[in-house]
Amino acid sequence: MNDYEYILKTENLRKSFGSLEVLKSIDLSVKKGEVICIIGPSGAGKSTYLRSLNQLETITSGKIYIKDELFLHREHNRTIHRVASEKQKAMMLEMGMVFQRFNLFPHKTVLENVMIAQILVRKRNKTEARQKAQEIIARVGLSDKLDAYPSKLSGGQQQRVAIARALAMDPEIMLFDEPTSALDPELVGEVLNVMKSLAQQGITMLCVTHEMGFAKEVGDRVVFMADGMILEEGKPKELFEHPQNEKAANFLKSVL
């Protein structure tokens, strides 16, 4: 039993770039083990929301909680509260992120790519990091590619290495930012299969995705975003078959 209700929660999260408000008061709570799929049109603010969670974007206003503890509170571009820096680092490590682009080190092998952050950030020794890397690379089905360089891998294989790299850090929650959007159609399935198996293992996942079949099959909840707001959320079956919001209904009609 967890001693917290929500592994991740945001309240009234706002983000502006100059006069452009990209996120308008986002409230979302995620329980441990939940798979939440965020869908919506381009420009809805979905990726900005994920990037705000792991501090790649500085929020304008709002609160972020990790395991019910207030991690960050900002109002009108001013920080009201932030946890102390050591604790901040530890809390940030609770989140692993997988991007649209794979961002692998081209001059390092698959094994080295999955080891490096473990050594530099988690402070594991090389033996420990290697063992962990091998184990995780096996989980994403790439044991035969340990010594290969990224340029020798397909896009789907590179994305699976990126997932392995994030998992090797033992995050409590995985953030996926359209992980299949840069892939050729025939390679999408292999990445989605890895993500499905992570969901079956009970890993908490927040996925921005265009893959409606995946959202329907794997999501515990689907969140529809448009114009920087969450306009509807619910169980996949309900949201896909009986959307209540007009924009959600029109979006789903166009993509399904």
Side-chain angles (χ1 to χ4, degrees), residues 66-82:
I66 296 174
K67 293 183 177 175
D68 289 348
E69 184 174 350
L70 183 58
F71 172 72
L72 176 65
H73 177 198
R74 280 172 65 81
E75 292 302 331
H76 312 297
N77 270 329
R78 285 181 48 246
T79 300
I80 312 292
H81 168 87
R82 182 190 273 285

Side-chain angles (χ1 to χ4, degrees), residues 17-33:
F17 294 103
S19 61
L20 178 67
E21 198 175 17
V22 182
L23 297 177
K24 304 167 187 170
S25 191
I26 302 282
D27 293 334
L28 187 66
S29 302
V30 184
K31 291 195 162 172
K32 187 173 171 63

Side-chain angles (χ1 to χ4, degrees), residues 22-237:
V22 182
L23 297 177
K24 304 167 187 170
S25 191
I26 302 282
D27 293 334
L28 187 66
S29 302
V30 184
K31 291 195 162 172
K32 187 173 171 63
E34 257 193 312
V35 177
I36 295 184
C37 294
I38 304 176
I39 64 170
S42 291
K46 307 181 300 290
S47 294
T48 303
Y49 179 64
L50 282 200
R51 292 171 66 84
S52 298
L53 295 176
N54 72 354
Q55 308 294 283
L56 290 171
E57 299 289 356
T58 304
I59 60 172
T60 304
S61 289
K63 294 176 179 174
I64 299 174
Y65 294 85
I66 296 174
K67 293 183 177 175
D68 289 348
E69 184 174 350
L70 183 58
F71 172 72
L72 176 65
H73 177 198
R74 280 172 65 81
E75 292 302 331
H76 312 297
N77 270 329
R78 285 181 48 246
T79 300
I80 312 292
H81 168 87
R82 182 190 273 285
V83 292
S85 75
E86 275 311 298
K87 185 149 202 198
Q88 188 187 329
K89 219 183 285 177
M91 288 170 93
M92 286 302 301
L93 284 173
E94 302 284 13
M95 284 186 263
M97 182 133 179
V98 178
F99 300 88
Q100 297 175 23
R101 298 275 159 203
F102 328 119
N103 300 332
L104 300 176
F105 292 112
H107 59 291
K108 294 197 176 293
T109 64
V110 166
L111 183 63
E112 289 166 340
N113 263 288
V114 181
M115 282 173 66
I116 190 163
Q118 294 187 65
I119 293 166
L120 297 178
V121 182
R122 280 284 187 200
K123 306 295 182 207
R124 290 180 181 145
N125 65 44
K126 275 192 174 166
T127 308
E128 216 182 338
R130 179 178 284 108
Q131 196 178 341
K132 180 82 177 176
Q134 287 170 333
E135 182 190 309
I136 300 275
I137 291 165
R139 262 169 82 184
V140 300
L142 289 172
S143 290
D144 57 334
K145 301 290 184 192
L146 290 178
D147 299 320
Y149 287 91
S151 62
K152 299 291 181 214
L153 303 177
S154 70
Q157 289 169 333
Q158 289 186 58
Q159 192 59 295
R160 284 190 278 156
V161 175
I163 293 172
R165 178 181 57 189
L167 284 173
M169 300 295 281
D170 295 324
E172 293 255 348
I173 181 165
M174 287 284 285
L175 309 176
F176 290 91
D177 185 10
E178 297 185 14
T180 58
S181 67
L183 299 177
D184 292 332
E186 70 273 16
L187 302 175
V188 167
E190 66 188 69
V191 172
L192 293 181
N193 285 338
V194 168
M195 291 170 68
K196 281 178 197 170
S197 79
L198 297 180
Q200 284 156 3
Q201 291 158 36
I203 290 176
T204 311
M205 289 161 57
L206 203 50
C207 312
V208 169
T209 184
H210 290 304
E211 302 293 336
M212 298 301 141
F214 174 81
K216 214 170 186 176
E217 184 189 340
V218 182
D220 294 305
R221 243 188 315 153
V222 175
V223 171
F224 173 75
M225 272 182 81
D227 308 320
M229 296 177 282
I230 292 177
L231 297 182
E232 189 168 351
E233 61 176 285
K235 297 270 179 214
K237 191 172 165 58

